[in-house]
Structures are given as structure tokens and as C-alpha cells.
């Protein structure tokens, strides 16, 4: 069963453009109390652009598409909110827990709800040096027809490895106004994208062309580079020490990404947090414009 917020059910009934937003970035990606403020600011950006935000999470075992303010507050502040990927969804339902959804789980639920556009910060991908640590985000992209707007994959990951996997899964990657694949905290990752688009109309065109060719069963990644990137030297230094710290502390599984993000936020004294917030806001704005264009 899916619970729709009043705002989202009205939008579905009226055929309005909707943007799905993930919640793991709120619960596990940003520090308190900024996380709740940012979640609300991001929703406001989507509304201002003319679309309706649908933040997705599980509350007491129920899937919610669109969160009321008090529900958003629980996801942001409750210590017992776990991080749920696709495989966890049915378990969380059965155990009546509350959970924030990753890119993979959010995309899955969004698609069930008929939502075509989704904004996040950075995608999960292949982790460095661990051949079997690949985010379930990759498989979800291969199986979910949705447009996902991101600032590339998180720079803590193996970027070329992740791009190779996206190629294997036949997931198109479009550089928005760029030929360079963005590097999350950095404007450029050092790797290129094959396809560049310069308008939302081009993305809509590509989305529609896929139906005819029956390549419409998977995601389209729109890679939107951050404008004011993090200081490069600071970024590289923290990345090196962060990867070592994760290793030394034996951080594994789904704890790896939150550990590294938190490490960045503390070590950079808020600089990576500033960039992460810029990213999610810019991506949500672009996602709203895409949702509006797809709706025409
Ligand atoms: N983007 C951000 N911050 C985040 C994430 C993305 O700016 O916290 C989350 C997303 O929910 C993504 C998850 O799906 O990190 C990836 O986790 P993992 O590597 O364990 O699959
Ligand atoms: Mn992992």
C-alpha cells in the first residue's frame, strides 16, 4: 500500500508535473539541523519552478509518496530511521519500521507511483578497491524507467568503474550543458560523457524516442555539474584520508557512503556541506523543469 500526501494526490488527479525526491540524503547524508531545513528548501524550489515535490520514505512500515512536514521532521531527526535500499522495502513494511529511501528504493517507488522524474545529489556506484561493493542504485537504474538528475556519482567512488557499469546496463548518461562527467563535489570528474544536452526539450525528446525503440525500460541519467565546486586540493586531501579512515574503522556495506559523507562534512568544516546543498537544490530545480517539459 502506498500513502500519498494530500499535495501529491491532488497533483496526480490534476495531471500536474511531479518530482520525486529521495530521503536518505536527509537522514544519512546531511547533518542535523541543516538536513530538515534543506529538505524543506528543496521542496520549495520544486514548487516555485511549477512542479510538485514528492519526497519518498517509509513511516511506521508504510510507503509514503509525499511527506507532511511532521513526517519530514521524523525522517530528519529520529535516530531509529534506517537507510533502505530496494531489498529492504518489504522487510521495513513487515517490521513496521521507519526508513529513508536510497536512490534505488526511491526510483522504484516513484515509478510505481507513476512519477517520471527524480532528483538527488549524487548517484551511488562502484566503490574504490572493493570489487563487490557496487551500489544497488546501478541495478535500479537498469530496471527503472525514470529520469534521474544528479551531479554525477559521488567522488568517493570509482568513477570510471561506475561509468563502465552504466554502459553495461545500457543506461544513457547525458551531460547537461557539459561534455565532462561531473564529479559531485567537483564540476568535472576527469571523465567525459558521450552525449551533451543543452535544454530540457532535448531530454524530453530523448525520453520520447525511447518508446519506439523499446529502450524505455531503464533510467536516463542527467548529469548536472555543480557551479561553485569544492576547493580541489582540500577535496583530494580529505578524500585520501577519508578512504583510509573507512578502511581502518572497518566500515562496510551501507554504512560506507554515510561515513564518507560525514567525514567530508566535518573535515572540510562545512565546505562540502555547502557544495552538497548547492547540488541538491540545482538538481531539484532542473528536475522540475524536466517534469514540466515531459508533461506537455
Ligand atoms: N546523494 C547525496 N547524498 C546522499 C546520497 C546521495 O548527495 O546521502 C545517498 C543516496 O540515497 C544514494 C546512497 O542512493 O547515498 C548510496 O548509498 P550506497 O552507496 O550504500 O548504495
Ligand atoms: Mn555499498
Amino acid at each position: 500500500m502506498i500513502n500519498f500526501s494530500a499535495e501529491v494526490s491532488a497533483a496526480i488527479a490534476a495531471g500536474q508535473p511531479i518530482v520525486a525526491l529521495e530521503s536518505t540524503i536527509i537522514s544519512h547524508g546531511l547533518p542535523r539541523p541543516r538536513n530538515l531545513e534543506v529538505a524543506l528548501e528543496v521542496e520549495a524550489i520544486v514548487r516555485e519552478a511549477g512542479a510538485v515535490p514528492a519526497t519518498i520514505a517509509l513511516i511506521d512500515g508504510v510507503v509514503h509518496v509525499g511527506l507532511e512536514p511532521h513526517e519530514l521532521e521524523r525522517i530528519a531527526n529520529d535516530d531509529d530511521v534506517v537507510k533502505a535500499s530496494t531489498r529492504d522495502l518489504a522487510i521495513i513494511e513487515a517490521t513496521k519500521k521507519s526508513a529513508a529511501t536510497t536512490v534505488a528504493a526511491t526510483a522504484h517507488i516513484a515509478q510505481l507511483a507513476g512519477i517520471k522524474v527524480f532528483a538527488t545529489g549524487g548517484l551511488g556506484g562502484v566503490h574504490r578497491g572493493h570489487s563487490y561493493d557496487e551500489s544497488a542504485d546501478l541495478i535500479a537504474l537498469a530496471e527503472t524507467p525514470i529520469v534521474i538528475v544528479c551531479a554525477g556519482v559521488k567522488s568517493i567512488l570509482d568513477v570510471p568503474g561506475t561509468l563502465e557499469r552504466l554502459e553495461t546496463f545500457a543506461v544513457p548518461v547525458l551531460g547537461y550543458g557539459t561534455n565532462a562527467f561531473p564529479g559531485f563535489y567537483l564540476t568535472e570528474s576527469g571523465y567525459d560523457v558521450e552525449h551533451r544536452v543543452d535544454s530540457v526539450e532535448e531530454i524530453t525528446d530523448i525520453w520520447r524516442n525511447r518508446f519506439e525503440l523499446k529502450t524505455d525500460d531503464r533510467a536516463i541519467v542527467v548529469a548536472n555539474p555543480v557551479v561553485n565546486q569544492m576547493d580541489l586540493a582540500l577535496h583530494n586531501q580529505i578524500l585520501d584520508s577519508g578512504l583510509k579512515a573507512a578502511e581502518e574503522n572497518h566500515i562496510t556495506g551501507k554504512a560506507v557512503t554515510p561515513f564518507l559523507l560525514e567525514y567530508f562534512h566535518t573535515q572540510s568544516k562545512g565546505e562540502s556541506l555547502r557544495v552538497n546543498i548547492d547540488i541538491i537544490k540545482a538538481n531539484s530545480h532542473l528536475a522540475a523543469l524536466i517534469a514540466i517539459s515531459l508533461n506537455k
Side-chain angles (χ1 to χ4, degrees):
M1 199 201 68
I2 296 181
N3 180 290
F4 291 93
S5 67
E7 184 186 20
V8 171
S9 28
I12 293 171
Q16 286 172 327
I18 302 174
V19 173
L21 299 166
E22 60 138 324
S23 45
T24 295
I25 185 168
I26 305 170
S27 63
H28 290 74
L30 300 170
R32 295 174 195 159
R34 250 334 245 144
N35 59 347
L36 178 59
E37 295 162 8
V38 172
L40 292 164
E41 287 162 21
V42 162
E43 290 197 345
I45 285 170
V46 172
R47 288 189 194 100
E48 239 158 81
V52 172
T55 305
I56 292 176
L58 285 93
I59 309 273
D60 300 327
V62 178
V63 172
H64 283 245
V65 175
L67 299 181
E68 308 296 348
H70 71 275
E71 293 165 341
L72 207 54
E73 207 250 301
R74 271 186 73 177
I75 295 296
N77 291 333
D78 277 16
D79 285 330
D80 55 3
V81 170
V82 297
K83 169 179 167 185
S85 194
T86 320
R87 71 169 182 175
D88 305 311
L89 292 174
I91 300 170
I92 303 287
E93 267 200 358
T95 52
K96 305 211 172 349
K97 285 189 187 151
S98 297
T101 47
T102 63
V103 166
T106 307
H108 184 79
I109 295 168
Q111 184 238 162
L112 285 180
I115 300 172
K116 298 194 203 77
V117 185
F118 170 21
T120 182
L123 295 179
V126 180
H127 281 263
R128 298 180 189 220
H130 297 273
S131 37
Y132 290 100
D133 187 2
E134 284 189 24
S135 176
D137 291 358
L138 289 174
I139 307 271
L141 294 172
E143 294 174 343
T144 317
I146 199 157
V147 177
I148 172 150
V149 184
C150 63
V153 300
K154 285 181 277 278
S155 44
I156 55 179
L157 300 171
D158 175 346
V159 177
T162 305
L163 286 170
E164 293 292 347
R165 295 301 277 157
L166 289 170
E167 183 181 7
T168 306
F169 291 141
V171 174
V173 180
L174 310 176
Y176 191 74
T178 183
N179 295 301
F181 187 64
F184 190 58
Y185 293 134
L186 304 175
T187 306
E188 300 187 357
S189 66
Y191 298 86
D192 287 339
V193 287
E194 248 177 272
H195 306 287
R196 170 189 177 132
V197 291
D198 289 287
S199 68
V200 292
E201 289 74 26
E202 284 172 77
I203 298 167
T204 303
D205 246 11
I206 294 168
W207 174 265
R208 295 206 171 121
N209 291 343
R210 301 196 318 160
F211 287 93
E212 254 172 75
L213 300 169
K214 296 207 181 345
T215 57
D216 58 328
D217 57 345
R218 56 205 66 222
I220 291 179
V221 172
V222 175
N224 186 29
V226 68
V227 179
N228 293 312
Q229 71 167 15
M230 200 177 151
D231 179 80
L232 184 62
L234 180 67
H235 172 273
N236 292 345
Q237 178 216 319
I238 297 176
L239 182 56
D240 273 354
S241 55
L243 291 170
K244 279 196 200 98
E247 195 77 44
E248 281 163 15
N249 290 289
H250 309 290
I251 308 292
T252 56
K254 67 192 196 182
V256 175
T257 299
F259 176 88
L260 289 171
L261 291 173
E262 165 67 19
Y263 189 88
F264 257 88
H265 296 333
T266 22
Q267 296 293 313
S268 73
K269 303 196 171 57
E271 173 65 0
S272 66
L273 178 60
R274 192 268 304 161
V275 178
N276 206 337
I277 294 170
D278 280 4
I279 288 170
I280 179 70
K281 287 185 175 176
N283 292 350
S284 304
H285 183 252
L286 178 57
L289 301 182
I290 296 168
I292 292 165
S293 173
L294 280 178
N295 218 35
K296 280 183 187 151

